[in-house]
């Protein structure tokens, strides 16, 4: 086995790679979020520290060291602090390229930087990250928790026994352009940017788009994003075989239905109750404003036809954290 190289802040090369992969997907994240994704067993260590702050400081120490090493090498920069006071780290251009190598993704596959990156709080980017974590539900290696207090071991066992999440960090991408004009690499004005794209065919999800909202935006603004999604879904492009097909199919694989309704890819809308607007009311309002996109047409025989419609599923981050992606949903369209 190759010897792991230690860096200036004490992090191993392997740990730096884990951090690069996480930041390459999330783009802006805290050490706590990166630790929960890449080393979930550490959540169940240091539980005897007196305060939550001291426990967090201890369990994230190695990841903060790795982030400091990345900063020394010009691969990351400070991105301000969250509203809770945690440091946010961003990748530089060189850091994004290094993360792309770790993820085996080209520059056009890496996605853009979050719009709120570097701003005070970066609340939307943090909600996107928490949505990814809630979807994955990283499980600890119980062998790495052996010897910890009984309560910590029991909590780790409960996490292992809980319903599985979907995919790993490499199954996800964030801030992905869905151009209605321009190209994948240089999208034109007016296209959508998906908060999250999940590719997990092994879980029966060849392609899922995810949007996160902090209950701060007006419902018409959220609904307008689905208009942009449909403009992208309707766009055609020639594939490498010379045949024209929906542009999204030139990048992602999904079953091409030979029978039944030919719907567009599904979108999951996740509300986080940060703002003053009620998540449930937001769902109801957005559902009403996007009805033309998801509601099927009645056909003879008393059933609906959903050709050309966009399935929209809605839930809250709280439900997603508690039950995982297989848990309850609050709206399903169509």
């Amino acid at each position: 086995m190759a010897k792991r190289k230690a860096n200036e802040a004490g992090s191993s090369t392997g740990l730096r790679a884990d951090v690069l992969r996480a930041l390459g997907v999330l783009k802006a994240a805290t050490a706590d979020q990166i630790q929960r994704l890449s080393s979930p067993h550490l959540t169940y260590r240091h539980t005897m520290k007196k305060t939550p702050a001291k426990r967090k400081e201890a369990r994230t120490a190695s990841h903060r060291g790795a982030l400091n090493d990345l900063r020394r090498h010009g691969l990351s920069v400070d991105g301000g602090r969250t509203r809770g006071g945690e440091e946010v780290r961003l990748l530089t251009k060189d850091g994004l390229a290094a993360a792309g190598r770790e993820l085996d993704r080209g520059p056009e596959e890496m996605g853009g930087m979050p719009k709120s990156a570097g701003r005070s709080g970066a609340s939307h980017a943090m909600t996107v990250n928490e949505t990814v974590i809630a979807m994955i539900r990283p499980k600890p290696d119980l062998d790495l928790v052996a010897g910890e207090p009984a309560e910590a071991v029991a909590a780790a066992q409960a996490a292992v026994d809980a319903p599985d999440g979907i995919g790993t960090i490499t199954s996800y991408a964030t801030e992905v352009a869905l151009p209605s004009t321009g190209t994948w690499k240089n999208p034109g004005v007016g296209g959508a940017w998906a908060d999250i794209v999940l590719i997990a065919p092994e879980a029966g999800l060849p392609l899922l788009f995810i949007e996160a909202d902090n209950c701060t935006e007006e419902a018409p603004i959220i609904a307008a994003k689905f208009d942009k999604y449909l403009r992208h879904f309707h766009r055609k492009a020639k594939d490498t075989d010379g045949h024209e097909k929906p542009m999204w199919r030139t990048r992602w694989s999904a079953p091409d239905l030979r029978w039944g309704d030919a719907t567009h890819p599904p979108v999951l809308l996740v509300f986080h109750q940060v703002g003053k607007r009620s998540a449930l009311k937001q769902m109801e309002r957005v559902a009403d404003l996007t009805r033309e996109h998801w509601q099927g047409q009645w056909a003879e025989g008393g059933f609906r036809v959903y050709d050309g419609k966009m399935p929209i599923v809605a839930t809250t981050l709280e439900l997603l954290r508690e039950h995982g992606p297989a848990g309850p949903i609050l709206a399903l369209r169509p």
Side-chain angles (χ1 to χ4, degrees):
M1 180 181 294
K3 184 178 180 180
R4 285 191 165 186
K5 179 181 176 182
N7 297 289
E8 293 178 46
S11 66
S12 68
T13 299
L15 183 58
R16 282 184 64 197
D18 289 342
V19 171
L20 270 175
R21 279 190 290 270
L23 267 182
V25 171
L26 303 179
K27 313 295 173 35
T30 65
D32 170 66
Q33 291 172 330
I34 295 170
Q35 175 265 306
R36 286 186 284 136
L37 270 171
S38 59
S39 302
H41 66 280
L42 292 177
T43 300
Y44 306 95
R45 289 185 179 176
H46 310 290
T47 57
M48 300 303 290
K49 299 286 184 182
K50 290 185 178 181
T51 66
K54 289 187 178 297
R55 291 194 288 272
K56 180 181 288 188
E57 182 180 13
R59 65 178 168 81
T60 61
S62 57
H63 290 80
R64 285 185 284 111
L67 287 165
N68 288 337
D69 279 325
L70 293 179
R71 182 173 55 188
R72 287 188 177 93
H73 287 85
L75 301 180
S76 75
V77 294
D78 294 338
R81 291 181 178 272
T82 67
R83 292 179 179 177
E86 293 187 72
E87 288 185 358
V88 176
R89 298 296 179 89
L90 313 174
L91 287 177
T92 62
K93 182 179 179 180
D94 288 343
L96 199 62
R101 290 191 290 272
E102 290 291 339
L103 292 164
D104 194 24
R105 296 178 184 177
E108 70 283 354
E109 298 177 282
M110 292 300 291
M113 292 298 293
K115 296 179 181 61
S116 61
R119 299 180 191 171
S120 177
S123 60
H124 182 261
M126 296 301 101
T127 295
V128 168
N129 296 353
E130 292 299 329
T131 299
V132 171
I133 295 170
M135 289 290 293
I136 295 174
R137 309 197 96 194
K139 294 182 181 291
D141 182 340
L142 293 178
D143 289 340
L144 299 178
V145 186
E148 296 297 319
E151 295 84 353
V153 174
Q157 183 67 62
V160 169
D161 294 339
D164 291 337
I166 297 177
T168 65
I169 189 64
T170 58
S171 307
Y172 294 78
T174 62
E175 287 296 315
V176 178
L178 304 177
S180 53
T181 61
T183 64
W184 292 113
K185 188 175 183 180
N186 296 300
V189 176
W193 287 81
D195 285 339
I196 304 167
V197 177
L198 167 60
I199 301 172
E202 72 282 358
L205 276 176
L207 179 61
L208 175 68
F209 296 101
I210 305 175
E211 292 296 317
D213 181 76
N214 280 331
C215 296
T216 55
E217 290 187 324
E218 296 280 356
I221 295 176
I222 301 171
K225 193 162 188 179
F226 290 98
D227 297 338
K228 295 179 179 181
Y229 264 89
L230 269 187
R231 284 204 294 273
H232 174 72
F233 290 156
H234 288 155
R235 187 177 177 186
K236 304 285 187 178
K238 280 189 177 181
D239 206 349
T240 53
D241 59 6
H243 295 294
E244 193 174 70
K245 60 181 63 175
M247 186 178 185
W248 65 268
R249 285 191 178 277
T250 67
R251 179 167 181 173
W252 295 293
S253 297
D256 192 359
L257 298 179
R258 303 298 179 186
W259 58 84
D261 297 332
T263 61
H264 295 300
V267 182
L268 169 63
L269 182 54
V270 179
F271 287 96
H272 187 202
Q273 194 66 67
V274 173
K276 295 181 179 180
R277 295 179 173 85
S278 161
L280 184 57
K281 292 294 184 183
Q282 286 285 83
M283 290 183 197
E284 293 173 350
R285 183 71 174 132
V286 171
D288 185 56
L289 292 170
T290 59
R291 188 174 301 276
E292 63 178 313
H293 299 328
W294 56 259
Q295 189 171 64
Q297 303 296 319
W298 284 110
E300 291 185 16
F303 60 91
R304 289 183 183 271
V305 176
Y306 292 99
D307 278 323
K309 299 299 180 178
M310 175 170 41
I312 303 174
V313 182
T315 189
T316 66
L317 181 56
E318 289 69 28
L319 283 173
L320 203 55
R321 282 170 168 164
E322 183 178 358
H323 301 286
I329 55 175
L330 301 185
L332 178 60
R333 304 289 188 270

